[in-house]
Amino acid sequence: MAKLTAASLMLLALLAAAAVSTASATGTTIPGLKARRSRFLLANSAVYNTPWPSYTCSKKTAAVCLAPGSPGPACCDGQCVDTAASADHCGGCNKVCKHGRVCCGGRCVDLLSDRDNCGKCFNQCNSKCSYGFCNYAQ
């Protein structure tokens, strides 16, 4: 039998790898090779295989947004959303908060300087809000 060179061994290994990946992609098995599955995906299969609940809505079916477990009571662009907290639908459908602002109670606010929402939503300061802290000494 002739000697195998490093290049022919590499080519043989590439062909074997391609055959295994093609077989696993098409769902067929190669005799003698055992199917392998990821332990991570098997352990978390309940998390990754459960479908997300469908909360799609329209003008005719907006009542689905009022169901328990729905992300919010308003129907915007076919999805149920919470217009009091969503930065993409703050206070109403498609009212996007500008960069650096957060939706608090349906208003886009700057948490670094807003007296009524200092550092987090609904955290009121007595006098001044600076850098997200009430009465911050400068």
Side-chain angles (χ1 to χ4, degrees):
M1 187 164 157
K3 284 187 173 183
L4 294 175
T5 62
S8 42
L9 283 175
M10 181 71 89
L11 181 62
L12 195 60
L14 285 173
L15 288 173
V20 170
S21 67
T22 304
S24 63
T26 60
T28 60
T29 57
I30 297 175
L33 289 179
K34 192 174 170 183
R36 295 173 38 190
R37 295 189 182 200
S38 166
R39 287 182 287 161
F40 175 76
L41 292 177
L42 286 175
N44 296 307
S45 64
V47 174
Y48 291 106
N49 292 333
T50 52
W52 288 93
S54 176
Y55 290 106
T56 57
C57 59
S58 67
K59 288 182 181 180
K60 292 183 180 180
T61 63
V64 74
C65 296
L66 299 175
S70 172
C75 180
C76 296
D77 296 331
Q79 296 295 320
C80 297
V81 295
D82 183 8
T83 57
S86 173
D88 293 328
H89 306 282
C90 189
C93 291
N94 300 322
K95 293 184 179 179
V96 181
C97 291
K98 293 180 181 177
H99 180 71
R101 298 194 177 252
V102 177
C103 186
C104 292
R107 287 186 22 219
C108 292
V109 297
D110 184 5
L111 295 179
L112 298 177
S113 62
D114 189 2
R115 272 184 51 187
D116 295 328
N117 303 286
C118 189
K120 62 182 180 178
C121 290
F122 310 114
N123 183 30
Q124 294 182 342
C125 293
N126 291 332
S127 61
K128 186 178 178 183
C129 177
S130 297
Y131 304 107
F133 295 102
C134 292
N135 305 323
Y136 182 72
Q138 293 179 348

